[in-house]
Amino acid sequence: MPPKLDRAQVVGTALRLLDETGLDGLTLRRIATELDVKAPALYWHFANKQALLDEMATEMLRRMTAGPITPPASWQEALTTTCRTLRGALLGYRDGAKVFSGTRLTDQGHTEGQHVMLAAFTRAGFELADAVQAYTTGYAYTIGFVIEEQAVHPRPGERAPGYDPEQRAAGIDPAHELAAAAGRDLFGDYERRFERGLAIVVAGVERVLGQSTALNP
C-alpha cells in the first residue's frame, strides 16, 4: 500500500523541523510524528537519513537558485556573488551549512548556474581545471565559515553557550594573552570577517591561478 505523503512533503517538513531541533535532533521518527505517519512510511521515499539530507540540500539549492540567471560581468563577480548567495541561503536554516556539507545533489538543476559561473572564468582566460579550483576553493571557504558561524549563532540573534569572549578570556592562562584577546575576533563580526575572507580568496585566485591566464592569453 503506497504512503499517504510524497517526497516534497517529507522534505518540507524536515526543513521546517530543522529550525526547531537542529541537525542532531532531526530524526526520521520525529519527522514521521510531525506528519502523523509511522516511521516506516518514510522509507518509501528515503532509504536512510543521509538520503533525506541529500534531498534537503538539493531543495535548499533549488530555492536559492530559483529565478532567471544573469551572467556575471567578471569572474570576480561570479565568485563573490555565488559565495555570498550561498552563505545567505545556508543562514536561513539552523545547521544549514552542516546539512549542505558533504551531501550529494539528487538532480541536475544546479548545472545551469554552474555553467554560467564557470563560463565567466573561461572567458577571462582560465583553463577549466583552474576555474573549478577557484570555484571549489570559494565554496569550501563559505561552507566552513558558515559551519563555524552557526556553531556560535545557531539562530539569528542567538549565541550558543561557551562563546562569550569575556568568559573565554577569563579562563585562559594570562601568559597566553594573544589567545585570550583573540576571542572577540574569533566569535564576532561575522559579516565583516566573511567579506574580508572572501576578498582574500579572490586575491589568492588572482595571484596563484591568474598567472596561467597571463601566460596563456
Side-chain angles (χ1 to χ4, degrees):
M1 179 178 179
K4 63 179 182 180
L5 70 159
D6 58 29
R7 285 171 66 89
Q9 286 177 287
V10 177
V11 172
T13 299
L15 287 172
R16 177 170 54 79
L17 286 176
L18 184 64
D19 286 332
E20 299 178 16
T21 67
L23 182 57
D24 290 342
L26 185 68
T27 65
L28 294 179
R29 183 179 299 276
R30 177 70 179 85
I31 295 167
T33 299
E34 186 72 12
L35 289 166
D36 195 26
V37 298
K38 300 296 185 182
L42 301 186
Y43 291 103
W44 281 85
H45 302 293
F46 301 102
N48 49 47
K49 186 176 178 179
Q50 185 56 56
L52 174 59
L53 292 176
D54 290 343
E55 188 63 30
M56 289 169 65
T58 304
E59 177 60 22
M60 290 164 65
L61 187 60
R62 290 188 193 109
R63 296 177 184 183
M64 183 179 76
T65 58
I69 297 175
T70 302
S74 65
W75 70 261
Q76 292 92 337
E77 179 184 325
L79 184 58
T80 55
T81 298
T82 297
C83 291
R84 287 167 182 157
T85 302
L86 177 60
R87 175 174 175 253
L90 298 179
L91 288 175
Y93 304 91
R94 183 176 177 182
D95 288 334
K98 284 184 178 181
V99 171
F100 209 80
S101 177
T103 51
R104 181 187 62 82
L105 298 177
T106 61
D107 65 33
Q108 302 301 316
H110 64 286
T111 56
E112 179 185 1
Q114 188 177 73
H115 171 81
V116 169
M117 184 193 58
L118 292 173
F121 282 91
T122 57
R123 283 197 306 271
F126 285 77
E127 296 292 335
L128 178 58
D130 286 343
V132 171
Q133 181 71 67
Y135 160 64
T136 54
T137 299
Y139 173 86
Y141 162 70
T142 303
I143 294 290
F145 187 94
V146 179
I147 286 176
E148 296 299 324
E149 182 177 4
Q150 292 187 313
V152 179
H153 298 292
R155 300 177 184 175
E158 176 183 329
R159 181 180 287 271
Y163 290 104
D164 180 85
E166 300 299 332
Q167 293 179 356
R168 175 183 178 275
I172 294 177
D173 188 326
H176 305 154
E177 59 183 41
L178 294 179
R184 291 188 179 278
D185 290 317
L186 285 171
F187 307 123
D189 205 354
Y190 283 92
E191 190 68 34
R192 179 186 66 85
R193 288 174 51 214
F194 178 78
E195 288 298 324
R196 292 193 73 190
L198 188 55
I200 291 169
V201 171
V202 171
V205 170
E206 291 176 334
R207 176 69 179 85
V208 177
L209 300 179
Q211 289 182 344
S212 64
T213 65
L215 294 173
N216 300 286

